[in-house]
Amino acid sequence: GRQLIFLSILFFSVEKKSDLKKISLSSWKCVIQTFFYYFKGGNDITVKSYKVESRITSRFAHTTVKSSVVNSGHNAQSIGFNVEIPKRAFINNFTMNVNGITFTGSVKEKSVARNLYAQARARGKAAGIVRTNSQAMETFRTEVHVPPGSKVEFELHYQEMMQRKLGVYQHTVHLQPGRLVPLLQVDVYIFEPKGIKFVTASNTLGEQFSDLTKITHTKEKAHIVFKPTLQQQCKCENCTESAVDGVFTVKYDVERESNAGELQVSEGHFVQFFAPSDLSPLSKNIVFVIDVSGSMWGLKMKQTVEAMQAILDDLSMDDYFSIIDFNHNVRCWNEDLVQASSIQVNEAKKYIQSIKPNGGTNINEALLRAVQMLLRASNQGLIDPRSVSMIILVSDGDPTVGEIKLSTIQKNVKRVMREEFSLYSLGIGFDVDFDFLERIAMDNRGIAQRIYANHDAADQLKTFYSQVSSPLLRTIAIHFPENAVNNVTQNRFDKFFHGSELIVAGKLQPSDLTTLQSLTTASAANMDLNIQTEADIHGLDSVLSTHQHSFTGFARQMWAYITVNQLLAERSLAPTANKKRRITQRIMALAVEHQFVTPFTAMLVEGHDQGGAERLIADSPRDSKHGCCSSTKSKQLILKYNIKYSFMFCLCYLPHPFDFNVVDNDPHFIIHFPKSNMDICFNIDSKPGHILNLISDPGTGVTINGQLVGSKKMKNNKIDTYFGTISIYSKTHGVQVIVGTNRIDLMEGRNNHSFSWGATAELVLDRYQKNKCTTANITNMGISDLMVLLHRVWKKHPVQVDFLGVYMSSDNKYSTRVHGLIGQFAQEPELKVYGVHEGADPKKKEATMVVKGNKVAVTRGWQKDYRRDKKRGSDVYCWFIHNNGKGFIDGSYTSYILPQLDSFLTAI
């Protein structure tokens, strides 16, 4: 049976027999490797097909992801289906066919779904999870446990509205089939009634996939196809891994009439698009408010400065600006707005470059000072009535100085802001409370964006600024005849920026009208605009019915999509619990009617077979008492946010004491060299707050860092330091585990989990237990086994604090590019110890060590290993190297100090 499957894989991936002659030698190697992979029990799961189809009609996308999988092993096992979904998308259907039994999904109010979930569990039926969290849903994960020979077909549907940014609509599809697939295909169909201006599909998956995308483009339609053969999917010449893992991106724009208004009517709903371009930009009055607290030190500040240099250069002579930087204090580069002349811009750039981050975070005073600056300029008549005034806040953390209550800060800013001012918030990294930044921005006619703190943060900052740097219109209103429409979405807008688009949707009232008209009014740089647009009420439906791949219900779903998102935003700003409840009811009613999975709705998955009805519930958030998933006897539908990794916070097995490299206590490093059977020790004496790099491996995308905490008091005129936080970050998997003395945080995208030290949480398995333990074992992130040990001290101890010890396996699972205080020894250097003699302490011999071409004085001593005996520890004898490991580690220990917990080491 497996051989027959393989033959079908091989010939199915070749379109005609003559193509067999065209297959290269390396491709044949890939096929042969795949044969052994599948038929020597390499994985026992066969993905027969993986198809993605997106139908985009008038900027609204309906995407379907289908996967057909077979359990080709000899035992029952779990089959997973993981799909990355755009943050702004709503799941609206999911079906699953298991050996002929079809489970179909329907969206219910979350409370209804939970009740049905409880009933299903009480009857011993299978139960699972398909839900979003309250922040955003990025990953859909399901898992079903099936017997050998079973065939499972998954089908997921989600919908989203295309947002125009910088003159482009961008549609992204995340491709993660997980293995080689005989039939892998992506189809994107675009239909735009006014015509398509251009369409591109840039290759972001890798060099080997260049020229594999085919685009067919007519005036109104486009079809984009990506269909790599089995051979083209091979990651390398002699491996069976798939290279298809990334984002498939399609970009396009539409043709527009001179007035830039486009009104479409379909199935009793209308959508008005508005995106003018041939207008002079309005002048700007900008106050940049920049966080320069200590947490911005290093890469964050460097990239903020780099971005600000470019942003300041982009200002025109008609713009006015100033800069406020804040930590625990608030400073103004200039107390008043100044014209963006080349002289002032150069002075501002010098000021930005001179900033040295330190201290706390006083957001409240900084924002109030910015508003006062705009108010003063307005009262003095310096602001052009047709100009646009805005505050751009850049911060990476929560307030720690002055007013720190977020709701009070929001009220303070709202109280002093004028209607013509806007606030834009940029949150750098994950330490910042992004929900707060989003609320305060929306409350003041702006938007917020998270800036991911990595190598391209400067580009992210510049891109965001580009989106708001060219305002073309202000006070825009789009009107419709009152007796013709109802349930209209937001139709008044504060500003319109170049390259964006305003969209208004609503329902038609029953009438005999054959056309619908709209009137758009706005204020431009030199004139006031009045633009009329008209649409045939029945014309578009007849056109859509003739197009096979158009989405006929686009207008109805787009209206619901916009309305639900506006209600979610309105709810976050609701001042009272009563108003929140009323808005929630409206969201749930709309979401159920239009089948959107939202933070307040869930999906019920039901199926029927010969044994009667079977119900699988799609919601049930993680229960702290029972874990996130419930085990079942036979079929399961289980959504887990981290089925790829095992994070186990209770260690059941301890390896041999000398199989591990150790960082513990003050912090003491013990490096074990298995070839020479030798242990080398050294200490690092750094400052509290410093982040030391232990492992930095750009080859595997893994970095392990530790942040120091200090003792409560000085001892012998010195503050002892310990590791208070350990971070394990896999850039490849997009996962970070932060182990602290109080809790363990697991982050994958925006899916966050927190665990206490007193509980076991093994996310790969379905069982959850409670045990009192003080170790954390972390595996399956592309790193060697790693254990973190918690040292608890008496809370009232006058000197000592809780701290962590780190134990890493000596097994080398890293790439040749690995470095760090521990990582640099993954490849064991040559060691030679000679001249052993009595030292000043008769218990400690002294000698000379030759390592890395250096002669280093060493002392025979011992350090503590606390894995077996957590109270007293056991002695590990080693050669101790003084002066912070000088001569043993590459460079100075200060070279291993990093700006943040997920940073990688730069060249030493």
Side-chain angles (χ1 to χ4, degrees):
R2 296 176 113 187
Q3 284 79 357
L4 288 174
I5 293 171
F6 175 73
L7 290 173
S8 69
I9 289 172
L10 174 57
F11 288 102
F12 194 47
S13 63
V14 180
E15 292 185 1
K16 53 182 181 287
K17 291 182 179 178
S18 60
D19 288 345
L20 287 168
K21 300 177 182 179
K22 301 177 184 178
I23 300 176
S24 66
L25 176 61
S26 62
S27 295
W28 275 111
K29 286 182 180 179
C30 173
V31 172
I32 294 167
Q33 291 283 338
T34 304
F35 176 87
F36 286 107
Y37 179 71
Y38 278 110
F39 311 122
K40 284 195 173 184
N43 198 289
D44 289 342
I45 293 177
T46 304
V47 181
K48 296 181 69 176
S49 64
Y50 191 93
K51 299 179 182 179
V52 180
E53 179 184 283
S54 291
R55 289 179 292 150
I56 304 174
T57 299
S58 297
R59 289 78 143 176
F60 197 76
H62 181 108
T63 301
T64 306
V65 184
K66 298 179 181 179
S67 180
S68 179
V69 187
V70 173
N71 177 6
S72 48
H74 301 294
N75 301 306
Q77 60 180 319
S78 294
I79 293 178
F81 177 61
N82 307 330
V83 181
E84 295 290 324
I85 297 170
K87 293 179 183 179
R88 292 180 57 84
F90 288 138
I91 288 176
N92 73 317
N93 200 2
F94 173 71
T95 63
M96 181 176 67
N97 187 292
V98 182
N99 294 329
I101 304 172
T102 300
F103 296 86
T104 57
S106 60
V107 176
K108 308 286 185 185
E109 290 185 16
K110 188 162 282 191
S111 59
V112 173
R114 284 176 177 168
N115 289 334
L116 292 169
Y117 172 76
Q119 295 171 22
R121 287 187 61 179
R123 292 196 305 270
K125 293 292 184 180
I129 304 168
V130 181
R131 71 185 187 100
T132 82
N133 60 33
S134 59
Q135 297 175 327
M137 182 180 61
E138 291 183 335
T139 308
F140 175 91
R141 301 184 189 275
T142 64
E143 186 176 303
V144 59
H145 194 77
V146 294
S150 296
K151 180 181 178 181
V152 184
E153 294 178 340
F154 301 100
E155 185 173 318
L156 176 71
H157 298 250
Y158 61 88
Q159 297 178 346
E160 62 177 322
M161 185 180 74
M162 300 290 95
Q163 285 189 314
R164 189 169 184 255
K165 294 182 178 181
L166 301 176
V168 171
Y169 303 101
Q170 180 170 296
H171 179 63
T172 59
V173 174
H174 293 256
L175 296 179
Q176 296 172 308
R179 62 203 70 220
L180 299 172
V181 183
L183 179 57
L184 174 63
Q185 184 166 340
V186 178
D187 290 283
V188 179
Y189 299 94
I190 303 173
F191 175 67
E192 292 289 349
K194 288 291 184 181
I196 299 171
K197 189 174 183 180
F198 68 85
V199 59
T200 63
S202 54
N203 173 38
T204 56
L205 290 169
E207 249 343 279
Q208 70 193 80
F209 298 112
S210 58
D211 303 325
L212 291 186
T213 303
K214 298 178 181 178
I215 300 177
T216 306
H217 180 198
T218 62
K219 181 188 176 184
E220 299 172 339
K221 296 188 295 182
H223 181 203
I224 302 93
V225 184
F226 176 68
K227 189 180 179 183
T229 65
L230 190 72
Q231 295 77 31
Q232 291 165 337
Q233 296 170 43
C234 282
K235 193 169 188 177
C236 59
E237 188 173 317
N238 297 312
C239 64
T240 57
E241 295 178 54
S242 173
V244 182
D245 186 3
V247 177
F248 182 78
T249 304
V250 174
K251 297 180 180 180
Y252 77 98
D253 198 12
V254 301
E255 295 287 358
R256 290 176 176 80
E257 297 178 355
S258 58
N259 65 11
E262 182 181 352
L263 182 58
Q264 297 180 10
V265 182
S266 175
E267 294 188 345
H269 292 73
F270 70 87
V271 183
Q272 167 83 57
F273 303 97
F274 185 62
S277 56
D278 296 329
L279 296 168
S280 300
L282 302 170
S283 58
K284 304 184 294 293
N285 314 295
I286 307 180
V287 182
F288 298 99
V289 182
I290 302 173
D291 184 346
V292 296
S293 60
S295 57
M296 286 286 289
W297 184 87
L299 186 63
K300 290 180 186 177
M301 196 68 236
K302 179 183 177 183
Q303 298 201 328
T304 300
V305 170
E306 179 187 332
M308 283 300 301
Q309 302 282 325
I311 289 170
L312 290 170
D313 281 334
D314 187 68
L315 295 173
S316 73
M317 282 287 290
D318 294 329
D319 296 330
Y320 284 78
F321 78 104
S322 189
I323 298 167
I324 293 175
D325 61 293
F326 69 96
N327 45 31
H328 49 284
N329 296 315
V330 177
R331 297 190 309 166
C332 298
W333 166 67
N334 196 307
E335 292 290 340
D336 296 301
L337 295 180
V338 298
Q339 189 176 17
S341 65
S342 58
I343 294 175
Q344 296 286 14
V345 166
N346 286 332
E347 288 298 316
K349 287 164 70 175
K350 290 177 185 176
Y351 179 79
I352 288 288
Q353 284 180 318
S354 69
I355 292 174
K356 304 296 182 186
N358 65 84
T361 308
N362 192 345
I363 291 178
N364 184 69
E365 188 180 341
L367 288 177
L368 294 181
R369 188 82 66 89
V371 177
Q372 290 167 5
M373 194 177 288
L374 289 176
L375 288 171
R376 191 161 54 249
S378 178
N379 294 336
Q380 292 173 354
L382 299 176
I383 290 180
D384 184 336
R386 288 186 179 270
S387 66
V388 169
S389 299
M390 64 180 77
I391 297 168
I392 297 181
L393 168 67
V394 181
S395 180
D396 79 328
D398 292 340
T400 60
V401 178
E403 179 57 65
I404 61 173
K405 189 175 181 181
L406 300 182
S407 59
T408 302
I409 296 174
Q410 187 176 339
K411 290 175 184 176
N412 290 345
V413 175
K414 174 74 172 176
R415 187 178 64 254
V416 297
M417 283 282 277
R418 284 189 182 173
E419 286 295 321
E420 63 266 28
F421 300 163
S422 296
L423 170 63
Y424 297 89
S425 304
L426 298 173
I428 301 181
F430 288 95
D431 295 331
V432 68
D433 187 330
F434 185 72
D435 285 344
F436 162 68
L437 292 184
E438 198 167 41
R439 286 196 307 272
I440 199 170
M442 289 191 300
D443 211 14
N444 294 283
R445 297 158 296 284
I447 58 175
Q449 182 166 315
R450 188 186 292 280
I451 302 298
Y452 296 93
N454 53 30
H455 65 282
D456 69 343
D459 290 336
Q460 295 176 59
L461 287 165
K462 287 183 280 189
T463 299
F464 176 85
Y465 176 75
S466 298
Q467 295 171 22
V468 299
S469 63
S470 295
L472 301 182
L473 297 171
R474 55 192 297 273
T475 58
I476 308 103
I478 302 177
H479 307 276
F480 303 89
E482 287 185 10
N483 61 344
V485 301
N486 57 29
N487 293 287
V488 179
T489 61
Q490 178 186 349
N491 66 333
R492 295 180 181 274
F493 304 91
D494 189 58
K495 301 174 185 64
F496 170 77
F497 295 98
H498 176 71
S500 65
E501 183 173 59
L502 302 179
I503 302 178
V504 179
K507 293 182 177 181
L508 294 181
Q509 292 193 35
S511 70
D512 297 329
L513 294 175
T514 58
T515 60
L516 177 68
Q517 293 183 332
S518 69
L519 173 65
T520 302
T521 61
S523 175
N526 303 309
M527 69 185 96
D528 290 330
L529 300 181
N530 290 276
I531 300 171
Q532 285 191 330
T533 312
E534 186 175 275
D536 187 317
I537 287 179
H538 305 290
L540 183 56
D541 284 335
S542 59
V543 173
L544 289 172
S545 63
T546 64
H547 291 280
Q548 179 183 356
H549 297 290
S550 64
F551 178 35
T552 53
F554 86 92
R556 176 179 182 271
Q557 290 300 94
M558 183 179 279
W559 168 80
Y561 178 93
I562 296 171
T563 303
V564 169
N565 275 295
Q566 289 181 0
L567 286 171
L568 287 169
E570 186 181 335
R571 184 185 182 279
S572 72
L573 299 175
T576 64
N578 216 19
K579 189 170 184 181
K580 265 185 174 26
R581 278 193 296 271
R582 289 199 300 271
I583 296 172
T584 302
Q585 290 298 323
R586 292 177 62 193
I587 293 171
M588 288 193 296
L590 273 174
V592 169
E593 180 184 353
H594 295 268
Q595 294 292 284
F596 291 150
V597 178
T598 70
F600 308 106
T601 52
M603 186 173 290
L604 173 68
V605 183
E606 296 178 288
H608 295 268
D609 62 8
Q610 294 177 351
E614 173 135 20
R615 177 174 288 159
L616 289 84
I617 300 306
D619 175 62
S620 187
R622 181 170 63 89
D623 187 323
S624 59
K625 295 181 180 178
H626 302 103
C628 72
C629 314
S630 56
S631 60
T632 59
K633 295 178 181 178
S634 53
K635 302 184 190 74
Q636 296 179 40
L637 170 62
I638 301 172
L639 178 135
K640 302 185 200 171
Y641 284 103
N642 291 281
I643 65 171
K644 288 188 281 189
Y645 321 105
S646 171
F647 300 97
M648 190 171 172
F649 304 113
C650 186
L651 197 63
C652 302
Y653 165 75
L654 291 173
H656 187 274
F658 299 106
D659 289 344
F660 267 52
N661 296 321
V662 179
V663 191
D664 213 326
N665 222 324
D666 188 23
H668 303 310
F669 287 74
I670 308 174
I671 308 297
H672 175 68
F673 295 109
K675 291 181 182 178
S676 56
N677 194 25
M678 192 180 299
D679 293 292
I680 309 298
C681 302
F682 62 94
N683 291 354
I684 295 293
D685 295 321
S686 195
K687 297 178 181 179
H690 279 180
I691 297 172
L692 298 178
N693 177 253
L694 308 180
I695 300 286
S696 179
D697 188 4
T700 61
V702 171
T703 183
I704 302 175
N705 298 313
Q707 187 166 29
L708 299 175
V709 294
S711 57
K712 296 174 184 176
K713 292 183 181 180
M714 295 184 72
K715 183 179 178 182
N716 298 326
N717 294 322
K718 175 180 171 290
I719 289 285
D720 289 336
T721 54
Y722 311 86
F723 278 127
T725 305
I726 299 295
S727 166
I728 304 97
Y729 172 58
S730 172
K731 185 177 181 181
T732 305
H733 298 105
V735 174
Q736 185 175 17
V737 180
I738 298 178
V739 183
T741 55
N742 294 319
R743 66 180 189 183
I744 300 118
D745 292 320
L746 165 63
M747 293 167 287
E748 184 179 13
R750 294 182 72 175
N751 297 323
N752 300 336
H753 301 269
S754 291
F755 307 97
S756 68
W757 277 97
T760 299
E762 188 172 355
L763 298 183
V764 170
L765 303 179
D766 293 338
R767 66 177 182 271
Y768 283 75
Q769 301 172 342
K770 288 285 185 180
N771 289 307
K772 177 86 172 176
C773 48
T774 53
T775 58
N777 189 44
I778 300 172
T779 60
N780 296 335
M781 278 182 66
I783 61 176
S784 300
D785 289 340
L786 181 147
M787 184 181 78
V788 181
L789 179 67
L790 171 62
H791 295 270
R792 287 267 192 227
V793 300
W794 179 45
K795 289 184 178 180
K796 296 182 181 180
H797 195 288
V799 177
Q800 293 183 348
V801 294
D802 293 349
F803 64 95
L804 304 173
V806 187
Y807 297 78
M808 302 183 196
S809 171
S810 297
D811 294 340
N812 183 4
K813 296 182 181 178
Y814 303 106
S815 75
T816 56
R817 299 166 64 191
V818 68
H819 210 276
L821 287 168
I822 293 177
Q824 62 188 289
F825 301 108
Q827 298 295 329
E828 184 172 329
E830 290 188 11
L831 299 171
K832 182 180 179 182
V833 177
Y834 67 92
V836 180
H837 59 275
E838 295 291 334
D841 185 341
K843 294 181 180 179
K844 297 180 179 180
K845 295 186 180 297
E846 296 179 354
T848 300
M849 176 183 291
V850 178
V851 57
K852 298 181 179 179
N854 301 318
K855 289 184 178 181
V856 181
V858 294
T859 302
R860 188 66 171 171
W862 60 87
Q863 299 284 15
K864 291 291 186 182
D865 178 347
Y866 290 93
R867 283 172 298 147
R868 291 187 178 275
D869 187 341
K870 296 179 178 62
K871 289 186 178 181
R872 294 178 294 275
S874 54
D875 292 334
V876 174
Y877 286 88
C878 59
W879 288 106
F880 184 80
I881 297 174
H882 304 271
N883 299 322
N884 293 300
K886 185 177 181 181
F888 180 63
I889 63 173
D890 295 334
S892 167
Y893 82 93
T894 57
S895 303
Y896 299 86
I897 299 174
L898 297 181
Q900 54 199 42
L901 285 169
D902 60 354
S903 294
F904 283 78
L905 197 63
T906 55
I908 299 295

